[in-house]
Amino acid sequence: MSVWKIASAAFIFAVAALTLPAAAEQKVFANPVYKSLALDWCKTWGADCGKPAADAFCAKQGYQSSVNFAMWENLGAPTRLIGTNQICDDPGLCDSFTKITCSKPD
């Protein structure tokens, strides 16, 4: 292969690398806690469950939004709702998160 072809290929690769979007910074929070209790699955009582609660948690941690999360059904312990600060203290009804992955652009 000629030096010219190698230099051209290297230049094309360098330009392509410069035009790629920056990778987002992510952090996984295992068994997230809010104000000393497990984070409730819902942001407000019986509403805004899953992603809205995860997004609110991520915002409080300094991240833009949640990109992944998983439910812990019937945690068996009290949970706290991030939107209203209420406590769910019926262990058979309180759902939480096993993890939340938060993201923010670089």
Side-chain angles (χ1 to χ4, degrees), residues 1-19:
M1 188 181 285
S2 74
V3 173
W4 175 250
K5 285 185 179 180
I6 293 172
S8 294
F11 176 76
I12 290 170
F13 178 76
V15 169
L18 291 175
T19 60

Side-chain angles (χ1 to χ4, degrees), residues 72-78 88-95:
W72 188 338
E73 193 171 351
N74 298 326
L75 178 64
C88 174
D89 58 4
D90 184 341
L93 297 177
C94 305
D95 298 328

Side-chain angles (χ1 to χ4, degrees), residues 76-96:
T79 60
R80 187 178 303 271
L81 288 81
I82 199 165
T84 61
N85 207 34
Q86 292 173 289
I87 296 173
C88 174
D89 58 4
D90 184 341
L93 297 177
C94 305
D95 298 328
S96 186

